[in-house]
Amino acid sequence: EKGNHRHFMAKEIHEQPEVIGHTLARYVDFAAETTRLPADLPFDWRDLKRVVISACGTAYLSGLVAKYWFERFARLPVDIDIASEFRYREMPLDADGLSIVISQSGETADTLAALRYCKAQGQTVAAIVNVPESTIARESDVIFPTLAGPEIGVASTKAFTCQLTVLAALAIAAGRARGTLSAEDERALVHGLSEVPRLAAEALRLEPQIEGLAKILAKAPDALYLGRGTSYPLALEGALKLKEISYIHAEGYAAGELKHGPIALIDETMPVIVIAPYDRIFEKTVSNMQEVAARGGRIILFTDARGADEAGEAAEVTIVLPDMPAAVTPIVYAIPIQLLAYHTAVFIGTDVDQPRNLAKSVTVE
Ligand code: F6R
């Protein structure tokens, strides 16, 4: 049931500190600050030359974040694609490689077909699923469950952040096994992960401020989301969430792609949501923001105190998140992004939990 919340989506957004905590407890040892995966995995991280990931929609976007993590922490190249393209592309796969499929429901037809293709090619298939009795879970060689609990709202929220949590733990474990992370690196990363439930709770306290932004967004015919690095998949996720529940046309772009086309769209009617925790490429994102501001675009910036300081006057509104290690920003920044879509949709009056034309589980192609 919805408890005190108006919608399942609101309830599920607010459950995140707790369900991320449950999920983490399954994959990390908090006391030792190490990852903890089953000892009998049907693959060895050290033997892998690459990982292939396929999934749909929001689950695909969690995989896109994980690509950055696997490549950085484990120096393990990742090929990722949406399952509906992957399944027909007949990508050559070496036998004995690892494929990862990601699915909340575990019943998505295209993701299941991608899994079957990978198995037929001799790959070991690992599934990150929220429903352990699902078809995808049953047909996989190993499952890494997300412990998000049932997700009722059609728009995926808590399943997404739990998928990210599992994927972060896997990438760290892979890095440790492959010798690209030291024991000390692992401890620092796991320590950062263990802070996520608290950081997520702090992010939820931004809700009144974010609710205030809904009226800006609700009037806009279109919106643009920008980010770099792991904030780029988050920009795609922000745009997906906004369009599916508020029906406002939105696009997510890598900030560096702005000048290759989408900057032509910028005028005073265009809100531009920039996701940019302060990091080593923050300056690059600031210069993209200045390009938007110079053309009259209205910038809503999600950053931290340092980023707010460095960004100067470019943004019309800045939402300041707590400081956190770079590795966990995609998990925590997902929350205000979800809240922004949610409150915009509530302000407009759409059916948030059951948006038109959408189904929770897409069991047909
Ligand atoms: C978006 C959303 C969808 C699903 C996609 C995959 O909010 O919910 O994009 O993420 O249909 O579904 P699962 O994860 O069940 O395979």
Side-chain angles (χ1 to χ4, degrees):
E1 255 319 298
K2 283 180 268 196
N4 307 327
H5 297 282
R6 246 173 102 180
H7 299 101
F8 282 108
M9 185 178 176
K11 171 175 177 265
E12 290 161 2
I13 289 173
H14 282 266
E15 280 171 355
Q16 289 175 110
E18 191 187 337
V19 297
I20 292 169
H22 289 324
T23 302
L24 262 181
R26 172 87 168 236
Y27 295 95
V28 310
D29 178 333
F30 291 115
E33 294 188 329
T34 58
T35 53
R36 186 176 53 193
L37 301 187
D40 56 346
L41 291 179
F43 60 89
D44 187 328
W45 294 114
R46 290 169 298 185
D47 299 337
L48 302 177
K49 295 201 177 46
R50 66 172 175 182
V51 173
V52 173
I53 302 182
S54 52
C56 300
T58 290
Y60 161 75
L61 295 173
S62 74
L64 196 51
V65 172
K67 173 180 171 73
Y68 290 78
W69 285 334
F70 276 110
E71 293 183 349
R72 176 168 289 262
F73 302 155
R75 309 301 301 156
L76 189 52
V78 172
D79 278 308
I80 169 158
D81 206 350
I82 46 179
S84 57
E85 284 301 313
F86 176 85
R87 63 177 291 193
Y88 296 115
R89 215 170 71 234
E90 300 185 3
M91 179 185 183
L93 298 170
D94 350 296
D96 308 326
L98 176 68
S99 294
I100 300 179
V101 293
I102 309 167
S103 176
Q104 187 286 127
S105 63
E107 301 297 347
T108 301
D110 283 319
T111 309
L112 178 59
L115 178 165
R116 289 177 177 159
Y117 174 78
C118 292
K119 286 203 77 170
Q121 298 288 304
Q123 296 264 297
T124 300
V125 179
I128 296 177
V129 283
N130 199 43
V131 180
E133 313 73 42
S134 59
T135 313
I136 287 176
R138 278 200 315 272
E139 294 198 16
S140 299
D141 298 302
V142 54
I143 72 169
F144 296 110
T146 47
L147 306 182
E151 191 180 64
I152 311 291
V154 163
S156 186
T157 53
K158 62 177 181 170
F160 176 65
T161 50
C162 287
Q163 286 157 357
L164 290 176
T165 301
V166 174
L167 287 160
L170 294 183
I172 296 167
R176 192 69 193 108
R178 293 165 65 83
T180 50
L181 293 178
S182 66
E184 196 182 325
D185 297 333
E186 180 183 31
R187 268 201 303 281
L189 287 164
V190 171
H191 181 78
L193 274 180
S194 69
E195 296 281 299
V196 169
R198 172 183 68 76
L199 292 162
E202 283 182 40
L204 284 169
R205 288 201 278 277
L206 298 168
E207 187 162 12
Q209 254 174 289
I210 293 167
E211 192 173 351
L213 297 176
K215 49 182 176 303
I216 305 184
L217 238 59
K219 283 192 257 108
D222 312 273
L224 195 58
Y225 286 73
L226 300 177
R228 281 179 186 263
T230 52
S231 299
Y232 160 52
L234 220 50
L236 298 175
E237 169 64 4
L240 174 58
K241 221 87 301 179
L242 187 72
K243 62 192 145 193
E244 76 179 311
I245 62 171
S246 75
Y247 315 148
I248 294 172
H249 169 239
E251 291 196 54
Y253 261 94
E257 273 291 289
L258 189 65
K259 56 171 74 64
H260 300 286
I263 198 163
L265 295 168
I266 306 288
D267 63 17
E268 318 65 55
T269 67
M270 174 74 102
V272 179
I273 295 102
V274 179
I275 305 163
Y278 186 82
D279 60 13
R280 66 198 166 89
I281 46 175
F282 185 78
E283 290 310 317
K284 307 278 177 204
T285 310
V286 170
S287 71
N288 300 132
M289 268 171 39
Q290 285 159 345
E291 290 156 8
V292 171
R295 288 159 183 83
R298 306 179 66 183
I299 297 165
I300 299 172
L301 171 64
F302 289 89
T303 187
D304 45 34
R306 174 93 194 261
D309 239 33
E310 307 267 333
E313 304 288 286
E316 177 173 331
V317 184
T318 303
I319 304 290
V320 181
L321 280 93
D323 289 332
M324 65 193 83
V328 304
T329 57
I331 314 178
V332 181
Y333 279 63
I335 293 173
I337 292 304
Q338 296 162 352
L339 287 170
L340 184 61
Y342 173 74
H343 284 290
T344 303
V346 169
F347 189 88
I348 294 173
T350 52
D351 187 346
V352 172
D353 282 336
Q354 201 53 256
R356 68 186 180 200
N357 312 338
L358 288 171
K360 183 65 184 160
S361 180
V362 185
T363 52
V364 291
E365 295 187 34

